[in-house]
C-alpha cells in the first residue's frame, strides 16, 4: 500500500538551515530541501558521488521539549523505520563541525 503525504503548510526551518545547506553545496553535495514533506521526513536529501543520504538539520540554540532534544517524535519514528527496514541512517547536523564530520562519512 502506498502512503501519500499531504503538504498542509510550509515547514519551519531552523535558523542555521540555509548556512548548512551552503556548506554542503561547497563540499560538493547536491542538496534537495525536503523540509516541507513533513511526517518526520528529514530536512535534506543530499547526494555526492552517487551516494544519497538523509540529513536532519537542528539548531543547537533551540530548546526541544522532548527528552531527546535532537528529534521530534515523528522524526525519531521515521529514522528508526528507515534504519530497521531500509538500512538507511538519518544524519543529524547542527553545526559546521557536524557537516564536516558527515562529509567525511560519505564518499
Amino acid at each position: 500500500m502506498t502512503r501519500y503525504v499531504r503538504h498542509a503548510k510550509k515547514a519551519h526551518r531552523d535558523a542555521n538551515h540555509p548556512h548548512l545547506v551552503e556548506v554542503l553545496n561547497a563540499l560538493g553535495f547536491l542538496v534537495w530541501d525536503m523540509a516541507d514533506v513533513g511526517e518526520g521526513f528529514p530536512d535534506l536529501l543530499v547526494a555526492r558521488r552517487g551516494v544519497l543520504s538523509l540529513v536532519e538539520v537542528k539548531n543547537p540554540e533551540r530548546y526541544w521539549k522532548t527528552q531527546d532534544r535532537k528529534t521530534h517524535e515523528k522524526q525519531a519514528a521515521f529514522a528508526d523505520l528507515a534504519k530497521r527496514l531500509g538500512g538507511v541512517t538519518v544524519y543529524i547536523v547542527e553545526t559546521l563541525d557536524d557537516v564536516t564530520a558527515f562529509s567525511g562519512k560519505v564518499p
Side-chain angles (χ1 to χ4, degrees):
M1 176 191 292
T2 303
R3 182 173 173 190
Y4 296 94
V5 178
R6 294 169 56 179
H7 302 280
K9 62 180 181 176
K10 189 171 176 107
H12 166 81
R13 284 170 178 75
D14 290 304
N16 56 342
H17 188 111
H19 176 67
L20 296 182
V21 168
E22 288 177 14
V23 173
L24 285 163
N25 283 320
L27 290 170
F29 288 94
L30 181 59
V31 179
W32 291 273
D33 190 329
M34 307 299 288
D36 291 336
V37 171
E39 296 300 313
F41 196 85
D43 292 327
L44 307 173
L45 174 62
V46 302
R48 183 172 71 176
R49 299 182 193 122
V51 176
L52 290 171
S53 300
L54 296 171
V55 177
E56 178 65 33
V57 175
K58 292 295 179 195
N59 186 342
E61 297 176 7
R62 188 168 175 189
Y63 175 75
W64 298 99
K65 294 180 181 177
T66 58
Q67 286 189 357
D68 177 4
R69 76 182 205 36
K70 292 185 180 289
T71 58
H72 287 293
E73 187 175 316
K74 284 185 178 181
Q75 292 167 337
F78 181 92
D80 179 60
L81 184 67
K83 187 67 168 180
R84 283 187 301 110
L85 299 182
V88 176
T89 298
V90 176
Y91 296 93
I92 297 174
V93 297
E94 295 181 342
T95 65
L96 176 59
D97 288 341
D98 293 339
V99 171
T100 303
F102 161 72
S103 179
K105 292 178 183 177
V106 296

